[in-house]
Each structure stands twice: as structure tokens, then as C-alpha cells.
Amino acid sequence: MPISPYIDVILPLPLAGSFTYALPMAMGEQVSVGSRVIVPFGRKKFYTGIVQGFSPAAPKEYEVKEALCVLDSHPVVRHPQLKLWEWMSDYYLCSIGDVYKAAVPTGLKIESETRFEANPDFDAEDASTLPERELLIWQLLQTKGKLEAKEIEKETGFRSVPTLMQRLVERGAAIVSETIVDKYRPKREKYARIAFARADEEALRAAFAAVKGAKKQEMLLMTLLQLSGFTRAGVPVAEVTQQELLDKAQATTTILKALVDKGLVERYTKEVSRFAASQAAVSPLPALSDAQSEALRQIHSSFKDKQTVLLHGVTSSGKTEIYAHLIDYVLSQGMQALYLVPEIALTTQLTARLRAIFGDRLLIYHSKFTDNERVEIWRRLLRGNEPCVVVGARSAIFLPFAKLGLCIVDEEHDQSYKQFDPAPRYNARDCAIMLAHMHGGKTLLGSATPAVETYYKALSGKYGLVSLLERYKGATQPEIEIVDMAKAAKKKAIDASFADTTIAAVRQAVRDGQQAIVFHNRRGFAPMARCGKCQYVPKCQYCDVSLTYHKRANSLVCHYCGASYPLPETCPVCGEAAIDVVGYGTERIEDEVDRIFPEAKSLRMDLDTTRNKNSYENLIDQFSQRKADILVGTQMVTKGLDFGGVSVVAVVNADNIINFPDFRSAERAFCILEQVSGRAGRRDIPGHVLIQTRTPEHPVIQHVQAHDYLAFYTAEIEERRVFSYPPFTRLIYIRLKHRDERELDEIASLYADRLRQLFGNRVQGPAKPPVARVQSLFIRQIMLKVELNASMPKVKQILRDLYAHLRSTTPTLRSLILQYDVDPY
């Protein structure tokens, strides 16, 4: 029960803080912290807000509006969730509205929808004075009634429809109306059942008499009796869906309606789950080897005095089996568990393994689900406090857990845990640690190649450390062969992007009935097009990047903004028909694989082939079931996937991973190469990895060949210490974006100078990032290094105050977009 007539409400908007609304007395008994309320904002907009708390008095800075209605009798956001939102807003320097927008499924955010309609008071004679395009829109509104801007655009084909509508509104020819739209729709299913009592034998005889001579009706009645178990004594009557009944009886709805009209069958509709119920758990927990059992014992022991523990287990050491035992222990204590994976692809393999153990206590949550499906899982967690385990990608940290006992972050090093755009730019690994802490639970971080910062914290005693350095069931680490592409080129021992050595190894694996993975970290057919005469390279008109050629679509595509362009037949600069595509992407590699290995069946796994909801699962299932011999892919194939038949892994070009202008490039390269190597030889067949490179002497290549994470870490941590990079400092990237490059340079210089006055030589930049213009916005970046013992809340407050001051005193800053990236990855 509220103690105040005023509520503080979080809105799904990038605005600082929450907003205070008056609470009508009639709503006082209904609202609580975490409830949804519909509130007005601005002139005519309505939003679903989340109640953050109660205020004793109205703010003096603005006139308080009234909340319109309360949507929930119980909160849809729990107390630990709100605490996590507040922490993320503060730590990642973003608004709490940004966090709310990212956290809650769209189906739970009822918003107003702007529609336009013709003004009935507008004189038709005045319509003749309207410009042609505005007149056509007015006539459309007269005919169609209320329409959204996107509907008007679709009907007319006009661009700049919002501008045209603004003019029509100003002329009085159109008016704006706001409709509140609830986007969540529960799934409803139609069912059929016998209309008389089970014990009424007389009614059953009469029913058969009523359908005598109507064979199809009789068949439908008998099918319903059979499917429902109506006549089997001692067996509960089962519910039968209308569709199942019609399919089984090969009947139509007309025949079913005839039975309904005779009073023999009833039809009813009810809300059902979008997720098919699985069978109860049938498999026991997996047996552990001696090494796994010892690791599990050490994890339990470390949890006694450490909130977070790192499990450093080499690839194929059986970390998943240990996770299953930990989850089972947590569930037996009546708690819930969260199992984070970096890629949706991993949930497909995990689901089958964990479903057999935990049955319906396993839930899956990720962005490939429809919004209605995500709302359903959200509501299931809200309704009950029963023990369960959720497997999901980074967005799963936002779910409304009641009593979270354990967070597992698998492949904790992976950069996919970092959200880049839009805000909040959070790292799900770090948020999971904080979430578990807020619930009083524990966090287990697992990786064969831990992040440098994570391993440093484990060695320094902040985290517990458990090592598992042997592969499951005695499997050996794959042999890694370095293929010197410079030498191969001199000997002319290269076919397309493959050295002869690599071709021989893949061909032998296919002949032996085994499988191969070909890894290349560029999607598309070719990274760029180029004129062979004048060397002109087509670039995106909105971004400072060359365009990637996609053969299947026969177009040039920008991988930053998604813009698509036709491949020019002639060079627009010199006029020659000399445009050719240069380099290799996974699409081209797949074509080369099909040409070089005609006897093999290949699949490709990259962003282009996994856009659909079930595409990950279908690809993984096909390769797991040996329906393909060679899998070509990007980083997706490196992340924890378990394929028992893979004996060979080929890395097409290791150099484009290593040679990247970022202080983490060596770490990323080592992790990717070691992880993709770990896909080979995971059962009783030995693994063979071929890494093609023109710099075989590079230290990262050498460390990967030796499978020596500790040697890599020792060299990398020393370099970080010398140059004061994490984990010895904290980093904040400040990105400034503007449509005018000259103005941006002036603003960035001014901003950096003011920062130096406050932070001295901790400020570096402004500098152009590798891609200095995206979606028509020019970008400059300032890097701020902060000592570990500095007060981060104070640093962030200084940044906020400086921006507020400059915005109020420098008019050009108002058209600037400023973004903070805390702990960039």
C-alpha cells in the first residue's frame, strides 16, 4: 500500500532519472513498486512506465500529471531487477530508461500509436489549394480513415511523409490521434470434448445412434473418444485440440460442427503456452571423471569464501557436465539458476542435453524468440518461484528471477557478451556477477581462454580459481600445424585461398568418413570490389567503409548500415568494364570448397545463413547428424559447439584476426584461434588443425600452437602493465558523433581540452576510429584511463557535469550525439 499520492516512474526513453506522477486515490490500493502504469508524457504521448518508488511531495520543477491507469495487481519487475537497472544506469553512464527499454519485452510496454485522419471540419473547397502530394494524402485519409505514417508511405510511395503530414496538420487538413496499443497477444487454442458425462452409458449409446449412417461423423466421434481416453476406465480424460482431432480423423470443421449441433461434442478455447511441454527428465546426471569430480569439489569449496569462481578448463574438458551437477545442486536447494552462453547457436546443442536431465524445469530465452514468446517466459518466472534453470544469451540477465542461486557464464571471455549499440553498452558477464550478488547467489565463469582481466582477478585472489587441464575421456589436444602462406605462394602450392597442405588434410578427413571445419572471419563473397584499371573501390555513401560483395544477392552491401548497391558494370571513374571483386568471404570460401572437394557436402554458418529463427538449430542438427562433411563459418563456429565427427579444422587467414588496431587484438586472436582449434578431435579421433598465415613467427601463433594459455597471459599482462591498460586501469571511451565533420572536430577538441583540465594526461584523443563515419554521422573518440583506486562514481559525475555545462554554454553541442562506453571490449 503506497505511503504517498505521488509515484516515481521509469519511462522507456533515453532521459535522465525517473518522473513523478500524481496517483489518483482509486489506484492507491493497486499500485506497488515494480508495477506497470500508463502515464502521459509530452503533449499527446502515452507510455508504460515502471513504478520505481513513492515520493512524499510533488517536484517543484514541473507540473505533475496524473497516472492514467495501473496495469498490474502485482509487480512485473522484481526488486533485485530494479536494483540491477539502477546499477547499470550508474556504472555504464546511461539513462535508466535505456536499461528499461533493453530489459523488458516490447509486449509488456503498451505505448500510444500515432495515427492521422482527415479533419472533418476542413472545407473540401480548400483542398484544391493543397500541393499535389498533400492533396493525394488528404484524399487517401478521406477514403481509408485513420492511418500511421508508415501506412501512408506504403500506399503513396512518398518519402518524407512525416514532413508532409506536419504541413497538413498545420493547414488544418488533418488531425493527429493517439491510440494505446497492447502488443502482447496470448496464444489461444481450440479444443473439443465429449458433451455428456463419462459415466452416462445411455448417452454414449444414443450418441452412436445419432451418427449412424453418417460415416464421417461416426469416425470423428470414435476418434475423439480414442484420443481423449473417454471410455478407458481409470485413465484421466485427456484434452484434445481441434486440429489434432481433425487431422487424425481426416475430417473437416463442417463435420465437427454437425456433432456440435447434435449436442454430442463441445468446442472451447483456452490460453496455452507457446512452448511445447517436454517429457519429464529421463536421464540421470552425467557421470564425472576423476578430474571433473575434483574440479567440482574445488568449486564448492571456493564458493564458501568467494562469490565468483573461474573454471579454467581446456576445450573439450567436460565443463558442461560440471555445470549440470552444479545446477542440479542449486535446484535441489529450491533456488533458480541462470546459464549464459555468448551465442544463440550454443543454446541449440545445450537444450537437448539439459532438457533430458531437467525436463520442464529448463527454460530458453534469447532474441530469436518472438516478442510474445519472450513475454510468456517472463510471466512464467513472475507467476511462480519454483526451481528452474534458464539458458540464454545476454538479454537473459534481465529476467524476473525470484531466488537466483547460481549464474554460470560459459565462454566468459567472449566479446558477444558486450552490448555495443544501442545503450546500455553493458557486459553481460559483469552484470551477471552483480545480479547474483544482489540475489545472494554465486557466479561461475567458465572458459578455456579466460579474459585477461578475469584471469588476473583469479590469480590475485578476488575470484576463486579452479583448473581442469585434461580433455574428457582421455582425448588429446589437437595437433596444430602452421602453414606458411608466403612460402606456399613462392612454390605455387596454393589453390584459391587454400594451401595444398590444407587441401590434402581436409580431403583425407572426408575420405576417412570424418568432418572438417573451415574458419574464416569475413562473411559475404568478397570484402570489396575494385577497378582493375584505376583502382577505384566502391564505398558506402553513408559510412567510411568499402562495400562487401554478396554473390547470392548480386549486390554490394555495407556491413555497418545495411545499405545495398548494385555491382557497377563499368567503373564510374575511368569508364572501363574492369570492376572485379577482391578477397575472400565465407560465401566465396563455400564456393571454393564445393569446387575443390566435389565429393563432399558443405554447409555455411554465418550471419547471412542464420537470420531466421530456426536456422541455427537446423544447421547444427544437419552437421551433428553427419549430413554434411565440411562446415564453413565465421566466429559462430568457434564458440563451444560440440561436433564429435570433426577431425580437421582449417583457419583460412589468421593474419586478419591478429592485425587489428586495438589493445585487445592479441587476446582476441589467441581466444579465437584456440577456441576454433578446440572443435577438432573431441572424441576418440585425433584432431588436426591447420592455421594459414604469412607471419608464422608471431607470438600469438606460437602460443596457440603450443596450447599455452599461461605463456600467452604472462606476455600479455606484462605489456598491459607497461602501457597502463586494463586490468591496471579502467577505460572509458567517449564517442562524439555529428553530421558536420568540421563542427565535430571543433567540438571534440574543445571537449578533450576541458577533460584534460580535469584529468590531465589520463585523456587521449580525440582521434578517428578505424571507421570514422557510420550512417552519415562522423565519429571522433576520446579515451579516458582511470586508476583502479579512483572513485568511479566521482569520475562519472564529473563527466556528466562537464557535458551539462558545455551543452548549456556551447550551442553547437545541442546537435551532437555523445556516447559513453565503459569497459570497452
Side-chain angles (χ1 to χ4, degrees):
M1 181 175 177
I3 58 173
S4 163
Y6 298 101
I7 52 174
D8 295 326
V9 177
I10 303 168
L11 297 177
L13 299 169
L15 302 170
S18 55
F19 295 84
T20 302
Y21 287 85
L23 189 66
M25 288 187 64
M27 298 182 194
E29 296 292 331
Q30 306 168 22
V31 73
S32 58
V33 173
S35 295
R36 293 180 302 162
V37 289
I38 299 286
V39 294
F41 190 81
R43 281 187 167 185
K44 295 181 178 180
K45 287 285 185 181
F46 305 97
Y47 291 97
T48 302
I50 300 291
V51 178
Q52 187 179 23
F54 300 96
S55 288
K60 298 177 181 177
E61 295 83 5
Y62 56 88
E63 181 183 349
V64 172
K65 298 178 181 179
E66 276 196 351
L68 299 181
C69 68
V70 179
L71 293 175
D72 313 289
S73 56
H74 299 287
V76 298
V77 178
R78 298 185 190 270
H79 176 72
Q81 284 177 281
L82 283 174
K83 289 298 179 188
L84 181 68
W85 291 10
E86 291 165 3
W87 176 82
M88 289 178 69
S89 170
D90 179 63
Y91 188 82
Y92 291 106
L93 286 168
C94 63
S95 74
I96 196 167
D98 282 326
V99 184
Y100 167 27
K101 194 169 183 179
V104 177
T106 305
L108 291 174
K109 297 192 286 277
I110 298 172
E111 297 181 4
S112 60
E113 193 174 81
T114 302
R115 291 175 175 265
F116 300 95
E117 60 180 312
N119 187 349
D121 298 328
F122 184 67
D123 195 328
E125 292 182 6
D126 293 335
S128 60
T129 64
L130 294 173
E132 182 182 359
R133 294 202 299 170
E134 292 175 32
L135 176 61
L136 287 172
I137 292 176
W138 180 78
Q139 291 171 340
L140 178 68
L141 294 175
Q142 288 277 84
T143 307
K144 298 273 189 174
K146 295 180 180 180
L147 294 175
E148 295 179 63
K150 62 184 179 183
E151 293 172 322
I152 297 170
E153 185 175 325
K154 184 177 179 181
E155 291 280 348
T156 62
F158 295 159
R159 295 185 177 182
S160 306
V161 164
T163 303
L164 294 170
M165 293 312 306
Q166 182 65 31
R167 290 175 188 161
L168 282 171
V169 171
E170 289 171 356
R171 295 176 193 272
I175 56 177
V176 178
S177 64
E178 294 288 336
T179 306
I180 294 179
V181 180
D182 185 354
K183 296 181 180 178
Y184 172 67
R185 295 289 180 271
K187 182 180 179 181
R188 298 184 180 278
E189 187 82 69
K190 292 179 180 178
Y191 288 80
R193 62 190 172 200
I194 302 297
F196 47 85
R198 193 178 192 183
D200 194 341
E201 295 183 6
E202 184 62 35
L204 182 61
R205 283 193 292 271
F208 277 104
V211 296
K212 190 175 182 180
K215 290 186 178 179
K216 290 185 178 180
Q217 293 180 31
E218 185 178 29
M219 174 62 70
L220 190 61
L221 179 62
M222 290 177 65
T223 302
L224 180 55
L225 291 169
Q226 181 185 11
L227 291 175
S228 64
F230 189 85
T231 56
R232 293 200 297 272
V235 178
V237 176
E239 289 191 299
V240 180
T241 67
Q242 177 176 301
Q243 192 60 51
E244 180 189 8
L245 174 62
L246 296 178
D247 289 346
K248 194 77 173 177
Q250 296 183 344
T252 64
T253 53
T254 304
I255 299 169
L256 178 59
K257 184 177 183 299
L259 293 180
V260 172
D261 291 342
K262 290 178 179 180
L264 306 179
V265 174
E266 291 178 349
R267 288 189 290 189
Y268 63 100
T269 302
K270 73 172 189 174
E271 187 175 325
V272 297
S273 171
R274 286 181 165 82
F275 301 95
S278 66
Q279 296 180 351
V282 292
S283 300
L285 283 168
L288 300 182
S289 66
D290 291 343
Q292 288 173 313
S293 297
E294 176 58 22
L296 180 62
R297 186 196 65 77
Q298 289 182 30
I299 290 168
H300 280 298
S301 177
S302 295
F303 275 151
K304 292 177 182 177
D305 57 359
K306 301 287 184 186
Q307 183 200 333
T308 304
V309 173
L310 170 64
L311 173 60
H312 178 206
V314 297
T315 55
S316 194
S317 58
K319 294 186 289 294
T320 306
E321 286 80 5
I322 294 174
Y323 298 157
H325 279 260
L326 285 167
I327 291 167
D328 183 69
Y329 173 77
V330 168
L331 299 187
S332 71
Q333 302 298 304
M335 308 288 280
Q336 297 167 330
L338 170 62
Y339 188 153
L340 286 181
V341 292
E343 287 281 359
I344 297 166
L346 292 183
T347 63
T348 10
Q349 284 198 328
L350 276 175
T351 300
R353 296 171 69 179
L354 297 180
R355 181 79 73 193
I357 301 169
F358 301 112
D360 284 335
R361 294 184 295 173
L362 177 73
L363 302 176
I364 314 296
Y365 189 85
H366 54 64
S367 59
K368 288 288 183 181
F369 281 169
T370 66
D371 197 65
N372 283 329
E373 289 171 333
R374 290 200 292 273
V375 171
E376 193 166 306
I377 291 173
W378 189 286
R379 288 187 164 174
R380 175 173 168 177
L381 283 170
L382 272 178
R383 282 195 300 264
N385 298 335
E386 74 275 6
C388 64
V389 53
V390 176
V391 175
R394 62 174 180 253
S395 59
I397 63 167
F398 295 116
L399 284 168
F401 295 98
K403 38 188 178 180
L404 186 62
L406 176 67
C407 282
I408 295 170
V409 185
D410 195 19
E411 311 293 349
E412 64 83 29
H413 65 277
D414 200 288
Q415 65 180 11
S416 297
Y417 284 124
K418 175 70 174 179
Q419 163 78 12
F420 289 98
D421 273 314
R425 294 170 183 83
Y426 67 96
N427 190 313
R429 174 197 62 202
D430 300 335
C431 292
I433 292 170
M434 182 56 64
L435 177 67
H437 173 71
M438 290 173 172
H439 278 271
K442 304 291 185 181
T443 305
L444 181 69
L445 309 176
S447 177
T449 55
V452 169
E453 291 97 319
T454 302
Y455 203 69
Y456 178 80
K457 290 175 182 176
L459 291 182
S460 62
K462 183 174 182 180
Y463 297 165
L465 176 60
V466 176
S467 297
L468 184 59
L469 303 179
E470 62 180 60
R471 285 188 141 193
Y472 187 58
K473 290 188 176 179
T476 58
Q477 288 278 35
E479 175 196 352
I480 296 184
E481 180 179 352
I482 309 302
V483 180
D484 189 332
M485 295 299 281
K487 288 183 178 178
K490 287 180 181 178
K491 295 178 182 178
K492 296 184 179 180
I494 292 178
D495 184 351
S497 59
F498 295 101
D500 289 353
T501 307
T502 306
I503 293 172
V506 173
R507 180 167 286 134
Q508 189 62 49
V510 173
R511 284 175 179 168
D512 293 342
Q514 295 158 7
Q515 294 172 295
I517 289 177
V518 177
F519 167 67
H520 186 57
N521 209 28
R522 284 182 183 272
R523 66 185 176 97
F525 186 82
M528 68 176 181
R530 186 172 64 198
C531 175
K533 297 291 186 181
C534 70
Q535 304 303 300
Y536 161 76
V537 175
K539 291 191 174 183
C540 178
Q541 67 182 89
Y542 309 109
C543 311
D544 281 344
V545 290
S546 58
L547 297 166
T548 300
Y549 177 62
H550 287 249
K551 184 179 178 182
R552 303 294 188 272
N554 191 30
S555 61
L556 297 170
V557 178
C558 175
H559 284 179
Y560 282 81
C561 71
S564 179
Y565 306 84
L567 181 70
E569 293 182 3
T570 59
C571 176
V573 175
C574 68
E576 295 290 329
I579 294 288
D580 197 8
V581 293
V582 180
Y584 287 84
T586 48
E587 196 177 355
R588 191 171 193 174
I589 297 286
E590 182 186 27
D591 283 358
E592 295 296 342
V593 163
D594 291 341
R595 178 183 63 82
I596 297 170
F597 309 104
E599 72 280 11
K601 160 81 172 158
S602 69
L603 292 172
R604 174 163 55 95
M605 182 186 287
D606 56 24
L607 185 62
D608 298 316
T609 62
T610 56
R611 293 185 187 278
N612 297 328
K613 179 181 176 182
N614 297 319
S615 49
Y616 281 109
E617 187 173 351
N618 293 336
L619 280 168
I620 290 169
D621 284 350
Q622 288 181 64
F623 198 64
S624 295
Q625 294 167 16
R626 307 286 188 98
K627 293 179 180 178
D629 306 295
I630 302 172
L631 178 64
V632 178
T634 56
Q635 280 191 60
M636 291 180 182
V637 304
T638 73
K639 300 181 180 183
L641 293 171
D642 185 21
F643 299 121
V646 173
S647 63
V648 170
V649 168
V651 178
V652 173
N653 184 355
D655 301 321
N656 69 0
I657 310 170
I658 297 171
N659 300 321
F660 192 80
D662 185 84
F663 79 95
R664 293 189 192 274
S665 60
E667 178 182 3
R668 286 202 192 103
F670 179 87
C671 290
I672 290 172
L673 293 174
E674 182 65 19
Q675 289 286 342
V676 76
S677 299
R679 301 315 106 203
R682 296 176 70 88
R683 298 294 186 270
D684 53 355
I685 53 174
H688 185 193
V689 180
L690 300 104
I691 298 178
Q692 299 186 163
T693 175
R694 289 181 177 272
T695 55
E697 72 286 348
H698 196 287
V700 168
I701 301 286
Q702 297 298 313
H703 294 319
V704 171
Q705 186 176 29
H707 296 291
D708 196 341
Y709 173 81
L710 193 56
F712 161 75
Y713 170 81
T714 303
E716 182 69 12
I717 200 72
E718 190 53 41
E719 191 168 321
R720 301 267 187 103
R721 192 192 312 273
V722 170
F723 292 101
S724 295
Y725 276 111
F728 303 104
T729 56
R730 289 191 174 95
L731 288 189
I732 300 175
Y733 284 168
I734 303 166
R735 296 191 184 96
L736 302 95
K737 300 183 178 183
H738 201 286
R739 292 191 178 276
D740 187 302
E741 188 172 20
R742 184 185 57 79
E743 278 195 29
L744 177 62
D745 283 330
E746 292 177 2
I747 294 168
S749 296
L750 170 65
Y751 196 78
D753 289 343
R754 294 293 177 88
L755 282 172
R756 285 191 185 90
Q757 292 173 16
L758 296 166
F759 295 104
N761 60 7
R762 300 176 184 87
V763 178
Q764 295 181 20
K768 288 185 179 182
V771 179
R773 183 171 64 105
V774 175
Q775 294 181 338
S776 299
L777 290 171
F778 294 93
I779 307 168
R780 297 294 180 267
Q781 184 167 283
I782 299 170
M783 182 168 68
L784 175 61
K785 289 183 179 180
V786 183
E787 293 87 348
L788 294 179
N789 58 1
S791 169
M792 286 303 285
K794 187 176 179 180
V795 169
K796 291 168 185 174
Q797 191 57 52
I798 290 172
L799 291 175
R800 289 190 179 102
D801 292 345
L802 173 61
Y803 178 63
H805 173 71
L806 287 176
R807 189 175 171 84
S808 64
T809 58
T810 312
T812 53
L813 246 72
R814 292 173 187 173
S815 54
L816 176 80
I817 297 173
L818 184 75
Q819 296 174 346
Y820 299 105
D821 190 357
V822 180
D823 300 338
Y825 208 85

